[in-house]
């Protein structure tokens, strides 16, 4: 069975995307870097997100790319350890040039989060979940 999952995302410019994600706190496995791709590492489980220049991505997906200005194909969620971490992360996103489309706020009485678009319009959210307040 599969031992690992890799999420692949098309980007306009790998170097700009790498700079953006570095500024908001992600790291990279540079042994996988090429001139048209990079391997971003997310979380303690070292989830890999491959960023591929759009033409390379399209060549192996064999499909038209989604126009992220008018539609979404995926919402990538990441967890936070506190409300403060959500707030700090959201500020980093703004400072790095991302677009916050949902400001930090409470949701359903047990979640706190915000949502943003990266430089290429891919949508992400960051959530703090207080499971002790989760309805049973």
């Amino acid at each position: 069975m599969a031992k690992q999952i890799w999420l692949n995302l098309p980007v306009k410019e790998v170097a700009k995307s790498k700079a953006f994600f570095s500024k908001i706190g992600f790291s990279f496995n540079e042994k996988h870097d090429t001139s048209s791709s990079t391997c971003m590492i997310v979380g303690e489980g070292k989830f890999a997100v491959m960023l591929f220049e759009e033409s390379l991505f399209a060549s192996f997906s064999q499909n038209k790319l989604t126009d992220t200005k008018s539609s979404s194909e995926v919402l990538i969620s990441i967890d936070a350890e506190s409300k403060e971490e959500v707030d700090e992360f959201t500020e980093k996103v703004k400072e790095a040039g991302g677009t916050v489309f949902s400001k930090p706020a409470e949701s359903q009485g047990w979640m706190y989060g915000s949502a943003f678009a990266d430089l290429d319009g891919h949508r992400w959210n960051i959530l703090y979940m207080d499971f002790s307040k989760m309805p049973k």
Side-chain angles (χ1 to χ4, degrees), residues 12-31:
K12 288 177 182 38
E13 294 182 51
V14 170
K16 282 186 178 181
S17 292
K18 188 173 181 179
F20 169 79
F21 285 110
S22 292
K23 286 177 186 173
I24 65 172
F26 292 111
S27 61
F28 292 82
N29 182 344
E30 295 184 350
K31 72 180 182 180

Side-chain angles (χ1 to χ4, degrees), residues 8 53 123 128:
N8 300 301
E53 287 196 357
R123 294 191 169 236
Y128 166 67

Side-chain angles (χ1 to χ4, degrees), residues 100-128:
V100 175
F101 63 87
S102 181
K103 294 178 183 177
E106 295 272 347
S107 176
Q108 300 177 32
W110 64 282
M111 293 185 287
Y112 182 83
S114 73
F116 68 95
D118 63 26
L119 299 180
D120 293 282
H122 304 295
R123 294 191 169 236
W124 300 71
N125 69 355
I126 181 166
L127 290 170
Y128 166 67

Side-chain angles (χ1 to χ4, degrees), residues 40-126:
M40 183 169 69
I41 305 301
V42 180
E44 295 171 4
K46 298 190 179 358
F47 186 90
V49 177
M50 294 297 298
L51 305 177
F52 291 100
E53 287 196 357
E54 289 177 339
S55 59
L56 180 57
F57 183 93
S59 74
F60 52 73
S61 70
Q62 298 183 12
N63 209 352
K64 180 180 168 190
L65 298 182
T66 298
D67 178 0
T68 57
K69 290 179 183 150
S70 63
S71 65
S72 297
E73 185 173 49
V74 65
L75 175 64
I76 304 161
S77 299
I78 52 178
D79 70 333
E81 294 184 22
S82 66
K83 292 179 180 182
E84 294 77 20
E85 185 179 1
V86 170
D87 294 340
E88 291 167 10
F89 190 88
T90 302
E91 284 304 311
K92 287 180 186 178
V93 166
K94 285 193 252 183
E95 291 168 8
T99 303
V100 175
F101 63 87
S102 181
K103 294 178 183 177
E106 295 272 347
S107 176
Q108 300 177 32
W110 64 282
M111 293 185 287
Y112 182 83
S114 73
F116 68 95
D118 63 26
L119 299 180
D120 293 282
H122 304 295
R123 294 191 169 236
W124 300 71
N125 69 355
I126 181 166

